[in-house]
Amino acid sequence: MSSYRNGFETGPHASETARTTAIGAADLDPELLELALDASGIGLWTADLATDTVQGDARLLRMHGIDPACFRGTAEELRSRVPAEDRERIRKEIREALEGERGLFRCDYRVEHPDGAVRWLRVRGRAVPGASGRPASMVGFCEDLTDQHLAREHLRESERHIRMIAGEAPVMIWVSGADGLVEYFSPPWLEFRGRRLEEERGLGWAEGIHPDDRERVRAAFRASAASGGEYTCEYRLRRHDGEYRWVLDRARPRLGPEGELLGHVGSTVDIQELHEAQQRADRLAAVAARTTNAVLITDARGRCEWVNAAFERTTGHPAAEIVGLEPWALLSALTLFYIVLG
């Protein structure tokens, strides 16, 4: 006669060793154990290798889309829910476990429910020797990994999308891992550097940073990898022709389904011309600030953008009143040193 304990069928055809191992220590409160298993979502099972029968709790059967009231206890009922390609992989894992010294196995696989839903499960188990010393049964547990699998698939799809965009975008794009090592560089980056992906991956790209900027950039990069925050840095990067070009590097963190840091996605833009223009503007502003002549600078639209202190003194107009206006309205008999930029 069969009876149930902790969701397992016990009876004369069940392996005593397997049943004892699967259920756990006898001194555990059965109700507490059942509550713990329900909370974990783990399904327990035992398998008799000689009869190809399986005893499993209701959680295990529901994971496989099987009504516990209709389960006849055959391994084939479970196998029938598994796609053929996954079924062969499970057989291989079990075979290797039975032939190995420890007899342990683990395998992820899909199951197809009657309503068409596909779930991803992970089974873990170990062989239990019989009287002869050879494996006579197996015990283990199963858990549903569908949500984690879908999250990983979504992440992989996002990364594929990023790389597809990166391959077409005119800017240089890179992707790093949680360890701070860069895993991917887009074609524009590799073209700019004149190097292969294998040479740039990891920390290889840092070899191209100007020696005077290298430690500063590395410190900023390490800080963003450690904190998971955003990263912005300007530095000189060696181009394929040996010229160092000023670039602007910006990155944002990549987060996993649980909010964990997966790394950063960054873009790098050549700002050499902008940097040179800024240097020229700074030099011009420094000269204009020192001169005793009144200086007014406009933007490309002809509107006032900056005036020096001499202009304010000469015209009596403070900069706050003038910026944004067309300078022609301010013309008088005064002789102005007038500069138009743009």
Side-chain angles (χ1 to χ4, degrees), residues 8-31:
F8 272 80
E9 182 182 5
T10 61
H13 58 279
S15 165
E16 185 64 29
T17 303
R19 187 173 67 252
T20 302
T21 305
I23 293 175
D27 58 350
L28 288 178
D29 186 317
E31 292 185 2

Side-chain angles (χ1 to χ4, degrees), residues 106-183:
R106 187 188 85 169
C107 190
D108 294 355
Y109 61 97
R110 294 164 295 171
V111 293
E112 298 171 343
H113 286 204
D115 63 359
V118 176
R119 308 292 296 180
W120 276 90
L121 307 181
R122 172 172 292 168
V123 62
R124 297 174 187 259
R126 72 178 305 157
V128 179
S132 66
R134 296 180 59 80
S137 60
M138 302 193 80
V139 297
F141 65 89
C142 191
E143 55 185 326
D144 192 322
L145 298 180
T146 304
D147 290 343
Q148 296 94 311
H149 180 81
L150 292 177
R152 286 195 298 269
E153 276 298 305
H154 177 71
L155 179 61
R156 281 194 287 266
E157 183 59 33
S158 297
E159 291 182 344
R160 283 194 291 268
H161 186 61
I162 289 173
R163 296 191 182 201
M164 181 184 70
I165 294 176
E168 298 176 355
V171 297
M172 298 178 278
I173 294 177
W174 52 267
V175 180
S176 70
D179 56 4
L181 300 179
V182 182
E183 305 167 346

